[in-house]
Amino acid sequence: MSKQAAAFVTVGIDGGAASGKSSTSRRLAARYGLLHVDTGSHYRALSAGLLAAGVSPADTGEVADYVEGIYLETEIVDGSAQILVDGTRYGEEAIRSDAVNASVSRFAAMPTVRQALRQYQRDQVKLARETLFNGLIMEGRDIGSVILPDANLLFFLEADEATRAQRRAAEGQTDAIAERDKIDASRKTAPLTCPPRAERINTGSLSLEEVVAHIGSRIEELGLSPSEEESA
Ligand code: CDP
């Protein structure tokens, strides 16, 4: 972890499934010493917890009961904030399972579920300061619209559906991204949308490094420098 710099930069990255948010955010987090927060993993962990408790997205009342008394904590692993739900950290395999892929957007459309995560997600900024990161990069669907509308920088990543499906398949995953996007964009609470202040980037025609370099140049305008090992 890098020493606290004079500048503290907050960056929000929104976009649909497999739009390139995670790889871009991780790379930038490492390069500029930012705490990486993947809010999709929060919804996925809650979904894994709900499914493990035998609650399905059809059981609205039970979902509300489950999230009401929930206790959320954070563990920082390799510069990335990991959520603990009632003391349990759900691993990558659990949160990216077919069952979670199939139900996460339905759970995430519920106001009770979003409400349960809202303050927790906002508190990650404080955590990043307290743990001496140079800032935070948070990815999701509603960072610019709901969670951190005042972030220093906001971006909205997009790519055509074929490119996104190809990326997911290359990760070895079966994931109905079009279906999830439809639910995410049409839900009433915090739908997926490009916030007015955000800069749109089409990642379909750009390499990962090009996207990272572009956002990186904006971060540098705000006073942060790339870390030596990353910029070498
Ligand atoms: O990685 P991918 O883009 O496929 O999805 P994700 O970021 O892991 O998010 C999984 C699901 O969580 C999304 O399809 C949304 O339903 C939900 N989500 C959300 O509603 N709001 C967020 N800020 C992040 C994720």
Side-chain angles (χ1 to χ4, degrees), residues 17 21 39 43-44 105 114 141-142 168 180 184 187:
K21 301 184 301 289
T39 60
Y43 287 95
R44 287 175 177 278
S105 291
R114 308 201 70 80
R141 303 285 191 291
D142 61 345
R168 223 10 66 105
R180 280 203 289 124
D184 294 343
R187 69 183 175 218

Side-chain angles (χ1 to χ4, degrees), residues 34-91:
L34 309 173
L35 176 64
H36 171 238
V37 184
D38 171 9
T39 60
S41 74
H42 302 163
Y43 287 95
R44 287 175 177 278
L46 274 196
S47 302
L50 280 156
L51 294 176
V55 181
S56 94
D59 311 322
T60 335
E62 287 179 40
V63 173
D65 289 345
Y66 176 91
V67 296
E68 198 183 64
I70 212 159
Y71 183 59
L72 304 175
E73 297 164 279
T74 309
E75 209 172 272
I76 300 176
V77 181
D78 292 336
S80 194
Q82 308 288 318
I83 193 170
L84 274 75
V85 180
D86 287 332
T88 300
R89 176 144 77 90
Y90 292 92

